[in-house]
Amino acid sequence: MKNNDNNNNNSKDTTIGILDSRFNQTLRNVQGLLKGRSIPGKVLLSPRDPIDNSSLFSPTYQRSLSYSDTGTSNHTIETVEEEVQSGGKSFGIMSDNKSKTSTSHVENPSEEVRKTSMGARATDSARVMKFTKALSGTMVILDKLRELAWSGVPDYMRPTVWRVLLGYAPTNSDRREGVLRRKRLEYLDCVSQYYDIPDTERSDDEISMLRQIGVDCPRTVPDVSFFQQPQVQKSLERILYAWAIRHPASGYVQGINDLVTPFFVVFLSEYLEGSIDNWTMSDLSSDKISNVEADCYWCLSKLLDGMQDHYTFAQPGIQRLVFKLKELVRRIDDPVSSHMENQGLEFLQFAFRWFNCLLIREIPFQLVTRLWDTYLAEGDALPDFLVYIFASFLLTWSDEIQKLDFQELVMFLQHLPTQNWTHQELEMVLSRAFMWHSMFNNSPSHFAT
């Protein structure tokens, strides 16, 4: 019995040591930021106050850190610091005076590698090596890949990483090529059986569904000219119709057309180079196009398998998450919550679209794939984590929201001023979401019942 107790204690000590090491690494990264190194992380502290490693240990610290080399303003640092401090007092962030010190050290990579549009964190040469190592073995350790991907995936690795994260491509690299070949043939069979047939062989519901998809495809990401190409819209139509036919519980629901677009762009990037504004489908063979469509179909299927009740009748899954979002915002920022309630604004009036389209319509499209790196890294936990991301997104405009009346609120929340957003703003949204999740996730009583 004593041996079992000793083993349990050793296991706990090891777990705490690992978590402690990660948290202290965060603090060292912040210290580097305050000394002038441009490495902001998820936990941001004010330069006005000393950093006490012994008083900021969180037992729920599980995700990897998110970095950007774009720098952070003092206002941002102070804002997140206040959130950390207030959350720590209210929800008991544990103290551990015997914190172990990690020997790892993160240097600013901006002079070693070329920056890309997603920021230096995902193109840091050391980080690329970690991704390469994680993917090069016979078996991919999925938890490790998730940890790396949460903070952004290098562009050229994203297709492979996304396929593996979603479970479409097997973690066993020896089986990967054969599985993809078989799945792509299965998609072609599905298209041949259900799409490439005359309307006389479809039911009335199927004809109606296909027409609705045909109406929605030209409306998909209207600000990106690439998606206005007829061949692109035809590919989207095939993917969506095949998915809807194979998922009769929900069928096609408006908004799912948006969810295909990140997959479509990522998998096309294996065949097309340069800016998406210069892409044309006519440059691709039919085999390559069918491969892209198949990968989109299967990855969309895998994604929506984890949130099926978001798109069934009355979309109860989305309604449940909107309710959780309302309660979380009330707990984090009561003045905003009270103002919206006093103005008679219901969260369903604006947040339904956020959950339905996963923010694709709310941010510049060039930021979507970075956001989806984090989505897919969350795995089965994604639906619940969306609540924290969307709370962070909404409260970006806390001050502005409190100055608006009902009509102004509706217009503002339907046309949020994100058109000039960069990766820095997106990283801050994810940073706050991570912090609040770390504080509140093990205290579910903050959600009303």
Side-chain angles (χ1 to χ4, degrees), residues 320-391:
R320 181 179 65 252
L321 293 182
V322 169
F323 174 76
K324 286 188 174 183
L325 174 63
K326 179 179 179 180
E327 293 303 312
L328 181 60
V329 170
R330 179 183 61 80
R331 189 61 180 265
I332 293 171
D333 196 332
D334 186 62
V336 166
S337 176
S338 297
H339 178 73
M340 294 172 69
E341 185 174 348
N342 292 337
Q343 292 298 318
L345 182 68
E346 293 292 337
F347 273 65
L348 273 172
Q349 291 176 274
F350 63 91
F352 186 90
R353 185 174 77 180
W354 297 3
F355 284 103
N356 196 51
C357 303
L358 301 184
L359 288 189
I360 287 176
R361 299 186 186 183
E362 319 308 323
I363 64 174
F365 189 73
Q366 66 266 23
L367 301 181
V368 169
T369 51
R370 166 62 194 95
L371 176 61
W372 277 51
D373 289 338
T374 297
Y375 283 175
L376 302 188
E378 282 293 319
D380 293 339
L382 174 60
D384 287 333
F385 193 64
L386 288 174
V387 174
Y388 293 89
I389 294 178
F390 294 176

Side-chain angles (χ1 to χ4, degrees), residues 137-200:
T138 302
M139 288 293 296
V140 173
I141 301 174
L142 201 53
D143 287 345
K144 180 62 177 177
L145 187 62
R146 290 191 191 284
E147 183 178 358
L148 289 170
W150 203 99
S151 301
V153 181
D155 289 341
Y156 72 96
M157 292 183 171
R158 188 172 280 125
T160 298
V161 171
W162 279 21
R163 290 187 192 106
V164 174
L165 287 177
L166 284 162
Y168 167 45
T171 55
N172 186 328
S173 61
D174 292 339
R175 297 180 53 238
R176 198 168 299 154
E177 184 177 348
V179 168
L180 292 182
R181 187 185 306 112
R182 176 172 56 82
K183 287 290 189 179
R184 288 165 177 170
L185 288 173
E186 188 175 336
Y187 168 77
L188 287 177
D189 288 343
C190 180
V191 169
S192 175
Q193 183 177 354
Y194 298 113
Y195 183 83
D196 295 332
I197 59 174
D199 283 351
T200 54

Side-chain angles (χ1 to χ4, degrees), residues 2-229:
K2 289 183 179 180
N3 289 336
N4 289 337
D5 291 340
N6 290 335
N7 290 336
N8 290 335
N9 289 334
N10 290 337
S11 177
K12 291 178 181 177
D13 290 342
T14 300
T15 301
I16 291 174
I18 293 171
L19 296 173
D20 193 11
S21 175
R22 285 188 182 179
F23 197 78
N24 280 302
Q25 179 62 57
T26 309
L27 297 180
R28 271 193 301 283
N29 292 336
V30 175
Q31 286 174 321
L33 168 65
L34 302 185
K35 290 176 183 176
R37 296 218 318 274
S38 183
I39 317 177
K42 285 185 177 301
V43 183
L44 301 178
L45 305 177
S46 168
R48 299 172 300 173
D49 302 319
I51 296 177
D52 181 1
N53 288 12
S54 66
S55 63
L56 287 171
F57 171 67
S58 171
T60 59
Y61 197 87
Q62 294 178 344
R63 291 177 179 78
S64 59
L65 309 179
S66 179
Y67 297 85
S68 167
D69 73 339
T70 51
T72 306
S73 67
N74 286 340
H75 173 72
T76 302
I77 293 172
E78 292 164 9
T79 300
V80 182
E81 176 203 14
E82 291 169 2
E83 293 163 359
V84 174
Q85 290 176 344
S86 62
K89 291 175 183 177
S90 302
F91 297 94
I93 294 182
M94 294 174 59
S95 173
D96 183 354
N97 293 324
K98 297 181 180 180
S99 298
K100 298 179 182 178
T101 302
S102 171
T103 58
S104 60
H105 189 64
V106 180
E107 295 295 342
N108 188 348
S110 60
E111 303 206 357
E112 298 176 14
V113 295
R114 182 177 60 85
K115 298 177 186 177
T116 67
S117 60
M118 67 183 303
R121 177 56 178 163
T123 53
D124 173 6
S125 57
R127 184 167 171 76
V128 169
M129 287 178 64
K130 290 181 180 179
F131 270 101
T132 302
K133 182 178 179 181
L135 294 170
S136 61
T138 302
M139 288 293 296
V140 173
I141 301 174
L142 201 53
D143 287 345
K144 180 62 177 177
L145 187 62
R146 290 191 191 284
E147 183 178 358
L148 289 170
W150 203 99
S151 301
V153 181
D155 289 341
Y156 72 96
M157 292 183 171
R158 188 172 280 125
T160 298
V161 171
W162 279 21
R163 290 187 192 106
V164 174
L165 287 177
L166 284 162
Y168 167 45
T171 55
N172 186 328
S173 61
D174 292 339
R175 297 180 53 238
R176 198 168 299 154
E177 184 177 348
V179 168
L180 292 182
R181 187 185 306 112
R182 176 172 56 82
K183 287 290 189 179
R184 288 165 177 170
L185 288 173
E186 188 175 336
Y187 168 77
L188 287 177
D189 288 343
C190 180
V191 169
S192 175
Q193 183 177 354
Y194 298 113
Y195 183 83
D196 295 332
I197 59 174
D199 283 351
T200 54
E201 296 182 23
R202 306 185 206 274
S203 67
D204 290 343
D205 287 343
E206 290 169 350
I207 292 174
S208 177
M209 183 169 64
L210 182 57
R211 286 176 179 169
Q212 184 60 58
I213 293 171
V215 169
D216 288 346
C217 284
R219 301 172 178 171
T220 304
V221 198
D223 296 334
V224 178
S225 59
F226 170 73
F227 287 102
Q228 304 312 307
Q229 296 180 23

